[in-house]
RNA sequence: GAAGGUAUAGCUCAGUUGGUAGAGCGUCUGCUUGACGUGCAGAAGGUCAUAGGUUCGAGUCCUAUUAUCUUCACCA
């Protein structure tokens, strides 16, 4: 029955083999048994263009832990895998390839040919990320794999689009939107990231018509948009400009006449108190323009060059080149009053980081207000729970403030919007199926060229993957899904949209719990990114340390929802744990005989240490199960770790040795059974976290089930609650006495066997009594306090067993010097920073006096610190 | 401007319902003891950011403050 394990723990030897075996045996497929409760998860679909990164690794690991646990607990589990077509990302990738390999653009190929290329690309590389997920050990039902643009998902998209349109929740409109000049498409609000940029504030004089020498000075950060100005606005209550309202200005460089208007939107005390109004290129100005019926002058092309219609001599120039040229011209012609340095937040494209331009355009929108209401309620009522709870606030905050969702994208790769225009009669038809002729006049129609935002289809993922709108068996059994596992960074993009979509179209919530995790950062706490080149490749980590070690490192050591740092230390300590488990198992295996089983011996045969470890294990089962229920995976794993290493390896195995080495004895047989039983239990609890090593060891031990994956998860066992007996106390006291005698005799630190006395580490299940403690006290000459807590026994025992080794007072001068130098460096940086700040006239002018004084004081303090550090370093030399 | 996170050992972080502060790594001492040096046995190191409050009792709950990070919204 028993097998042997190779001497060294080498995960590469068995991880792939085991994974293949699981797949062959179809263990990942949901159990068809109808009596079992269902548990389902849909994967946050990674981009088809994606390469596995640490974020995925964390996400998949957490999901797999949940799924494997539930599966072992007797649920029929379905974990739906799949990928996202990732509109912009994929299109850019294929365009790039086309450009590099063939020197072509997508326009050279035309829409149809280009899309063929994208599909080719998808078919060739789209499975890469999937095979990478498998390396992690993910137990997804691969027969259920989906793609956001496969037939079923596409059908769901159309169904949803048409439904929303017919309900008046999708509309087409000329609005101001965020435009990425690089991707040449509209973006939704969520797709714009704001980044602080150093810029300038240009103060420009606009001459007043008919009043020679009188100017209105406006301040702007984007002088080139002057070409699109259709008014200048002031606050109606601003005394300075009251007389100007209604006057006409001459737009410098252009010569066009624009009015001065009054609008509450303008804040008198910011800038000059006068604002140029450019309705086509600023969301606020757009609103002002609507209120005052101003014309909308769009002066940019799609690639952010100045257009021919309004550009004049600047036509065709890039926005920044035009800015430079126009500022030069303004200055030359005396219109430039002054230039201030100014740093402000600028919107950038979340894909390519290009600065976006707000501009007016014809786009499709989803009306959010009616959808947001039930989506809010689902969370506030607790029907959908966020874990950790605080993320519900993030969600609610966004839901309450979101604007209509711009869903059209000027791309080719994606779900083409199912709207059909008839040029002959001007009618637009929205249809679930493709149409060629206008239903009204019978003339040919052309389909809308825009595609939908990628997130439009991801929003349907929990039900589109289950076959909706068909009433499938999957849909009724596994939808709503149980838990959604994802990072807090896509609560807006994805989680929120899934919730309102699902409520609107299926009438049900998409999932019961949203389990949110943080970001994986590098060892310095920076975001992992391609541009920084600080990303750690999970596949390399797997190669070097094994998937189990990676999973362990990701699942432990940080509170739910918090970001985590990934470091070598962490992965090494994880690997060391795997190694420890491996070796402990080898020890157990090498002592087992052929007829040993992982079964408990008769309880009356158990020695005190057997009872101790069994009761501790029983307690472990309880806390781990509870923590898993509360999504405290890290705590659960931490418990398993310390039980395995401290209690099982360091204590129980050592204690068991005295009996085991007399292999024929009855005591040895009992000890072997208990070793085997507890080890098997550890493997089962650990399996969801470290599936490969636990499977490998499980297979070597005596076992009933074919695989640990389909074995039963341990449950709390009333039988394993023991009470300490009189003779146990005698035995403990005997041990302590023996240890003390031996210690005195040898005058050396106690060896491992001295640990026997810590059998007194009773858990609450042991019901340590006052009698036991008193006896212990008299045996170890320790005075007891008046409390009778189990933990007291530990401290008594510890005092009895320890030696105190005097520390040598050592100072490492080199290290100390390095530390001080580092501190000095930091101090100097601070001094530099403060000096610059205090030299900055802008800061001195704007900041209140106490703030400036505080900064001065800080500078003084830093200078003192610096002096002290320099002195300290000098002393070391 | 709004909301939220974080502040605990030299470093990175845990700490589940309030009850004598923990781990990993690092440091120091000793140990090639019949699975493991990816190890074993010990040790040093924390007034749990600050000030109040609730409580018999606060790292934990409440209030304020400071520092720091993030997200959202932004003034041209």
């Amino acid at each position: 029955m028993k097998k042997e394990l190779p001497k060294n723990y080498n995960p590469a030897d068995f991880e792939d083999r085991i994974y293949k075996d699981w797949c062959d045996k179809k263990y990942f497929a949901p159990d068809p048994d109808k009596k079992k409760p269902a548990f389902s998860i849909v994967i946050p679909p990674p981009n088809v263009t994606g390469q596995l990164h640490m974020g995925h690794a964390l996400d998949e690991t957490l999901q797999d832990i949940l799924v494997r646990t539930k599966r072992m607990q007797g649920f029929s589990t379905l974990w739906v895998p799949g990928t996202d077509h990732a509109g912009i990302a994929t299109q850019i990738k294929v365009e790039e390839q086309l450009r590099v390999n063939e020197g072509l653009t997508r326009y050279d190929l035309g829409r149809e040919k280009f899309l063929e290329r994208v599909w080719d690309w998808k078919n060739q590389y789209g499975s890469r990320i999937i095979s990478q997920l498998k390396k992690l050990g993910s137990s997804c039902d691969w027969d259920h794999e989906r793609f956001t643009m496969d037939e079923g998902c596409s059908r769901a998209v159309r169904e949803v689009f048409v439904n929303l349109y017919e309900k008046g929740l999708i509309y087409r409109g000329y609005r101001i939107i965020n435009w990425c000049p690089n991707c040449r498409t509209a973006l939704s609000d969520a797709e714009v990231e704001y980044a602080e940029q150093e810029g300038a504030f240009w103060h420009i004089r606009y001459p007043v018509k008919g009043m020679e020498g009188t100017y209105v000075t406006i301040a702007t950060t984007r002088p080139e948009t002057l070409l699109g100005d259709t008014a200048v606005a002031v606050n109606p209550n601003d005394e300075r400009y009251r007389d100007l309202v209604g006057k006409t200005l001459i737009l410098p460089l252009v010569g066009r006449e624009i009015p001065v208007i009054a609008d509450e939107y303008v804040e008198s005390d910011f800038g000059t108190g006068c604002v140029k109004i450019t309705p086509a290129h600023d969301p606020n100005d757009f609103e002002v323009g609507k209120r005052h019926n101003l014309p909308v002058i769009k002066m940019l092309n799609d690639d952010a060059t100045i257009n021919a219609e309004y550009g004049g001599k600047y036509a065709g120039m890039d926005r920044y080149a035009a800015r430079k040229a126009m500022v030069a011209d303004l200055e030359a012609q005396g219109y430039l009053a002054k230039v201030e340095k100014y740093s402000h937040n600028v919107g950038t494209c979340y894909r390519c980081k290009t600065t976006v331009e707000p501009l007016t355009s014809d786009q499709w929108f989803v009306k959010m207000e009616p959808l947001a209401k039930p989506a809010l309620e689902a969370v506030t009522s607790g029907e959908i729970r966020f874990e950790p709870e605080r993320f519900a606030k993030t969600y609610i905050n966004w839901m309450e403030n979101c604007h209509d969702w711009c869903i059209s994208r000027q791309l080719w790769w994606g779900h083409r919007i199912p709207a059909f225009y008839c040029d002959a009669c001007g009618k637009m038809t929205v249809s679930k199926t493709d149409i060629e002729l206008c239903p009204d006049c019978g003339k040919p129609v052309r389909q809308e060229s825009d595609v939908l935002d990628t997130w439009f289809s991801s929003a349907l993922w929990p039900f589109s993957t289950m076959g909706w709108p068909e009433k499938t068996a999957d849909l009724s059994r596994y939808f709503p899904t149980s838990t959604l596992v994802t990072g807090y960074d896509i609560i807006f993009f994805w989680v929120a949209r899934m919730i309102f979509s699902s409520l609107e179209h299926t009438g049900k919530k998409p999932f019961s719990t949203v389990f949110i995790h943080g970001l994986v950062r590098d060892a310095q706490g920076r975001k992992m990114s391609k541009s920084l080149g600080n990303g750690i490749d999970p596949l390399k980590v797997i190669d070097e340390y094994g998937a189990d070690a990676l999973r362990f490192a990701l699942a432990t050591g940080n509170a739910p929802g918090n970001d985590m740092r990934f470091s070598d230390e962490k992965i090494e300590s994880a690997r060391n744990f795997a190694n420890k488990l491996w070796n402990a198992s080898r020890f157990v295996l090498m002592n087992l005989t052929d007829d040993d089983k992982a079964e408990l011996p008769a309880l009356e045969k158990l020695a005190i240490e057997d009872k101790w470890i069994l009761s501790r294990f029983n307690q472990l089962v309880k806390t781990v199960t509870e923590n898993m229920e509360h999504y405290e995976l890290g705590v659960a794993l931490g418990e398993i770790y310390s039980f395995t290493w401290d209690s099982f390896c360091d204590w129980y195995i050592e204690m068991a040795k005295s009996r085991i080495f007399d292999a024929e004895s009855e005591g040895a047989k009992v000890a072997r059974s208990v070793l085997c039983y507890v080890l098997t239990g550890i493997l089962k609890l650990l399996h969801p976290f470290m599936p490969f090593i636990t499977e490998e060891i499980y297979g070597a031990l005596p076992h009933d089930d074919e695989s640990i994956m389909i074995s039963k998860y341990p449950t709390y066992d009333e039988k394993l609650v023991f009470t300490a007996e009189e003779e146990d106390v005698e035995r403990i006291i005997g041990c302590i006495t023996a240890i003390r005698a031996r210690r005195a005799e040898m005058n050396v630190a106690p060896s491992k066997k001295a640990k026997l006395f810590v059998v007194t580490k009773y858990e609450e299940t042991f019901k340590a009594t006052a009698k036991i403690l008193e006896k212990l006290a008299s045996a170890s000459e320790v005075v007891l306090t008046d409390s009778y807590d189990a933990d007291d026994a530990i401290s008594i025992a510890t005092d009895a067993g320890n030696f105190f080794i005097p520390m040598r007072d050592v100072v490492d001068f080199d290290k100390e010097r390095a530390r001080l130098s580092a501190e000095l460096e930091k101090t100097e940086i601070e001094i530099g920073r403060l000096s610059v700040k205090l030299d900055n006239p802008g800061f001195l002018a704007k900041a209140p006096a106490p703030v400036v004084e505080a900064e001065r004081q800080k500078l003084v303090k830093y200078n003192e610190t610096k002096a002290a550090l320099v002195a300290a370093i000098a002393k070391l030399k």
Side-chain angles (χ1 to χ4, degrees):
Chain A
M1 196 69 197
K2 69 156 189 159
K3 291 178 196 159
E4 292 210 352
L5 291 174
K7 185 144 191 234
N8 296 315
Y9 165 60
N10 186 2
D13 287 348
F14 55 83
E15 291 191 349
D16 288 345
R17 184 195 77 224
I18 287 177
Y19 196 82
K20 187 172 174 300
D21 196 46
W22 287 334
C23 288
D24 290 348
K25 290 180 177 154
K26 301 271 177 207
Y27 288 152
F28 300 158
D31 193 321
D33 186 348
K34 288 258 163 58
K35 278 174 284 180
K36 289 190 169 184
F39 182 86
S40 56
I41 287 186
V42 289
I43 204 169
N47 292 352
V48 272
T49 55
Q51 285 260 49
L52 192 77
H53 57 63
M54 276 299 170
H56 295 126
L58 172 63
D59 200 55
E60 308 316 329
T61 298
L62 296 179
Q63 290 173 76
D64 200 37
I65 291 167
L66 298 180
V67 167
R68 283 179 186 270
T69 305
K70 289 290 179 185
R71 192 183 286 121
M72 287 173 75
Q73 286 174 340
F75 285 74
S76 171
T77 56
L78 172 63
W79 183 9
V80 179
T83 47
D84 190 290
H85 68 278
I88 301 180
T90 310
Q91 177 164 322
I92 288 177
K93 203 140 206 166
V94 177
E95 280 185 290
E96 175 73 10
Q97 197 188 40
L98 204 58
R99 190 178 62 77
V100 171
N101 295 346
E102 302 168 53
L104 297 175
T105 69
R106 64 177 153 129
Y107 303 102
D108 294 330
L109 286 183
R111 186 166 189 144
E112 223 161 288
K113 280 263 158 51
F114 177 75
L115 287 178
E116 277 172 24
R117 293 295 189 93
V118 186
W119 278 107
D120 287 348
W121 192 94
K122 190 257 167 191
N123 292 333
Q124 196 176 346
Y125 300 107
S127 58
R128 185 176 55 187
I129 185 99
I130 295 294
S131 60
Q132 291 171 336
L133 293 182
K134 293 179 179 174
K135 289 289 284 183
L136 276 169
S138 310
S139 60
C140 306
D141 181 13
W142 297 111
D143 295 334
H144 211 297
E145 187 185 332
R146 300 297 299 270
F147 177 53
T148 48
M149 272 176 57
D150 65 22
E151 215 184 311
C153 290
S154 301
R155 187 171 163 209
V157 164
R158 282 219 167 180
E159 183 82 18
V160 163
F161 187 94
V162 174
N163 285 349
L164 287 175
Y165 182 80
E166 283 170 356
K167 288 180 195 160
L169 294 176
I170 279 183
Y171 64 92
R172 188 174 155 81
Y174 190 68
R175 296 275 184 286
I176 191 142
I177 45 93
N178 304 292
W179 182 267
C180 175
N182 184 41
C183 304
R184 297 213 202 167
T185 178
L187 299 171
S188 66
D189 292 345
E191 286 167 319
V192 177
E193 285 175 353
Y194 288 87
E196 180 111 350
Q197 269 183 22
E198 281 297 324
F201 224 4
W202 284 274
H203 292 245
I204 303 170
R205 294 196 188 103
Y206 286 21
V208 182
K209 189 186 177 190
M211 295 171 74
E212 195 67 26
T214 311
Y215 300 97
V216 170
T217 306
I218 58 92
T220 179
T221 54
R222 295 190 298 160
E224 70 280 8
T225 60
L226 173 154
L227 298 169
D229 284 2
T230 52
V232 164
V234 298
N235 190 289
N237 301 317
D238 195 331
E239 299 293 341
R240 294 173 295 177
Y241 304 117
R242 179 155 290 176
D243 297 342
L244 279 170
V245 177
K247 294 265 189 319
T248 300
L249 306 176
I250 313 284
L251 204 52
L253 307 182
V254 181
R256 190 151 44 77
E257 296 186 356
I258 57 172
V260 177
I261 59 170
D263 195 285
E264 296 282 353
Y265 150 72
V266 182
E267 290 185 28
S268 307
D269 49 4
F270 186 83
T272 60
C274 304
V275 186
K276 65 196 264 314
I277 299 298
T278 323
H281 296 287
D282 183 281
N284 290 308
D285 293 6
F286 185 76
E287 294 303 318
V288 175
K290 268 208 287 198
R291 284 199 286 274
H292 296 268
N293 262 322
L294 297 174
V296 176
I297 295 185
K298 191 170 158 188
M299 38 65 67
L300 283 176
N301 293 317
D302 287 351
D303 57 357
T305 55
I306 309 296
N307 69 17
E309 200 177 352
Y310 297 101
K313 65 181 272 205
Y314 309 104
M317 294 172 87
D318 175 74
R319 53 184 161 163
Y320 298 118
R323 176 180 298 178
K324 217 173 154 188
M326 287 171 68
V327 168
D329 290 348
L330 286 166
E331 190 168 17
Q333 296 174 32
Y335 291 118
L336 189 64
K338 66 170 171 173
V339 184
E340 271 181 87
K341 273 202 175 159
Y342 188 67
S343 83
H344 58 145
N345 278 335
V346 174
T348 60
C349 170
Y350 84 127
R351 277 284 160 223
C352 68
K353 310 296 172 198
T354 305
T355 302
V356 300
E357 284 293 332
L359 50 80
T360 47
S361 174
D362 255 322
Q363 301 290 343
W364 292 84
F365 297 86
V366 172
K367 198 180 272 181
M368 284 303 299
E369 207 194 334
L371 293 169
K373 221 176 159 195
L376 267 170
E377 239 169 60
V379 171
T380 49
S381 71
E383 207 193 335
I384 297 175
R385 268 186 38 245
F386 275 80
E387 194 70 55
E389 214 175 342
R390 66 172 187 270
F391 290 104
K393 272 202 170 161
T394 313
Y395 168 87
I396 290 167
N397 196 33
W398 186 79
M399 233 1 153
E400 280 174 344
N401 296 304
C402 60
H403 300 127
D404 283 359
W405 175 18
C406 175
I407 50 169
S408 44
R409 296 290 177 275
Q410 287 63 52
L411 306 171
W412 288 353
W413 175 242
H415 300 277
R416 195 162 174 179
I417 290 177
F420 301 84
Y421 302 99
C422 175
D423 292 326
C425 71
K427 187 186 160 65
M428 181 186 74
T429 313
V430 167
S431 164
K432 288 179 191 173
T433 51
D434 284 350
I435 57 168
E436 306 211 329
L437 300 175
C438 176
D440 271 19
C441 67
K443 295 269 168 54
V445 291
R446 59 179 171 84
Q447 187 173 358
E448 165 69 61
S449 60
D450 289 358
V451 299
L452 288 164
D453 182 0
T454 300
W455 298 101
F456 192 89
S457 51
S458 336
L460 320 180
W461 190 246
F463 50 95
S464 66
T465 54
M466 303 282 183
W468 186 91
E470 299 297 324
K471 291 194 173 77
T472 62
D474 278 346
L475 196 67
S476 61
R477 181 138 171 73
Y478 298 107
F479 182 85
T481 64
S482 312
T483 305
L484 179 85
V485 181
T486 194
Y488 61 71
D489 51 332
I490 54 172
I491 291 177
F492 308 138
F493 280 117
W494 194 44
V495 180
R497 287 163 180 172
M498 274 191 285
I499 293 176
F500 69 67
S501 299
S502 183
L503 290 171
E504 176 68 21
H505 303 293
T506 71
K508 290 179 185 166
K509 60 187 175 182
F511 29 70
S512 309
T513 307
V514 185
F515 181 30
I516 297 285
H517 60 251
L519 271 33
V520 186
R521 297 172 176 276
D522 73 1
Q524 279 90 53
R526 298 173 303 181
K527 250 187 196 175
M528 289 190 186
S529 73
K530 272 187 196 156
S531 53
L532 272 175
N534 62 341
I536 301 169
D537 182 356
L539 297 167
K540 280 195 185 141
V541 174
I542 291 174
D543 279 346
E544 194 175 345
Y545 297 96
D548 285 330
L550 174 62
R551 292 167 62 114
F552 186 101
L554 289 169
T556 192
N558 76 312
N562 284 4
D563 289 353
M564 69 177 308
R565 297 193 192 200
F566 194 87
S567 61
D568 289 345
E569 279 169 22
K570 215 166 220 172
I571 185 75
E572 273 169 24
S573 117
R575 188 266 324 264
N576 293 354
F577 175 64
N579 184 58
K580 184 73 182 175
L581 180 68
W582 184 263
N583 280 301
S585 306
R586 280 182 55 227
F587 174 81
V588 172
L589 279 166
M590 69 178 50
N591 286 293
L592 289 187
T593 63
D594 282 342
D595 26 78
D596 282 320
K597 284 185 182 160
E599 279 169 14
L600 279 178
L603 297 184
E604 64 272 11
K605 287 185 182 165
L606 296 176
I608 174 77
E609 55 266 39
D610 299 330
K611 291 180 182 172
W612 173 71
I613 195 73
L614 286 168
S615 117
R616 282 224 55 174
F617 174 72
N618 199 32
Q619 194 60 37
L620 176 75
V621 170
K622 196 173 168 189
T623 53
V624 167
T625 309
E626 280 169 5
N627 278 302
M628 295 301 287
E629 290 296 321
H630 298 133
Y631 294 90
E632 291 277 4
L633 309 191
V635 175
L637 183 53
E639 293 286 342
I640 301 171
Y641 175 94
S642 58
F643 175 83
T644 305
W645 202 309
D646 301 342
S647 304
F648 186 67
C649 293
D650 290 349
W651 293 118
Y652 185 71
I653 287 184
E654 293 307 323
M655 289 188 286
K657 279 178 181 172
S658 61
R659 284 180 292 162
I660 276 195
F661 292 148
D662 182 9
E664 299 305 313
S665 69
E666 181 67 13
K669 198 167 160 40
V670 172
R672 287 197 302 265
S673 295
V674 176
L675 277 169
C676 213
Y677 178 86
V678 175
L679 179 58
T680 304
I682 289 172
L683 293 175
K684 288 182 179 181
L685 291 177
L686 195 55
H687 176 259
F689 299 91
M690 306 179 95
F692 294 111
I693 188 176
T694 48
E695 181 75 281
E696 185 70 358
I697 298 172
Y698 182 83
L701 286 169
H703 55 275
D704 298 329
D705 294 298
E706 180 175 47
S707 157
I708 194 167
M709 264 195 77
I710 54 167
S711 70
K712 205 170 150 287
Y713 201 75
T715 49
Y716 186 76
D717 187 348
E718 295 290 345
K719 280 206 310 288
L720 299 182
V721 177
F722 299 104
T723 310
E725 306 290 343
E726 188 72 25
E727 68 259 29
D728 297 330
V729 181
E730 296 306 326
R731 181 165 177 178
I732 296 160
I733 291 170
C735 288
I736 292 178
T737 314
I739 291 157
R740 300 177 90 228
R742 194 175 139 212
R743 222 179 55 191
E745 189 183 302
M746 295 167 69
N747 198 22
V748 289
S751 77
K752 272 185 196 174
K753 290 185 182 78
K755 279 186 180 175
L756 257 177
F757 60 75
V758 179
V759 168
T760 55
K761 207 170 186 177
Y762 294 96
E763 293 302 316
E764 58 226 62
T765 52
F766 254 104
K767 294 184 186 142
T769 61
K771 195 165 78 175
I772 294 169
L773 287 163
E774 273 159 24
K775 283 203 175 191
L776 281 172
S778 64
S780 55
E781 291 163 13
V782 172
V783 182
L784 273 179
T785 58
D786 57 355
S787 75
Y788 296 104
D789 200 313
D791 283 348
D792 286 324
I794 300 167
S795 56
I796 294 163
T798 311
D799 288 344
N802 291 351
F803 270 114
F804 294 95
I805 299 159
M807 278 273 292
R808 265 207 337 237
D809 190 16
V810 182
V811 177
D812 186 335
F813 288 102
D814 283 330
K815 279 208 173 154
E816 183 66 1
R817 199 174 296 128
R819 190 181 68 79
L820 291 175
S821 303
E823 206 157 303
L824 180 62
E825 201 175 317
K826 270 193 213 159
T827 310
E828 277 173 340
I829 289 170
E830 271 307 306
I831 289 172
R833 195 184 62 81
L834 284 167
S835 306
V836 169
K837 199 169 181 184
L838 288 167
D839 278 339
N840 180 359
F843 170 71
L844 293 174
K846 271 192 186 172
V851 173
V852 176
E853 187 49 34
E855 296 297 286
R856 283 222 173 87
Q857 288 304 320
K858 265 195 211 165
L859 183 59
V860 171
K861 274 216 174 132
Y862 273 115
N863 276 318
E864 282 169 9
T865 312
K866 183 184 166 182
L869 285 169
V870 170
I873 292 171
K875 233 187 218 174
L876 283 176
K877 282 175 186 163

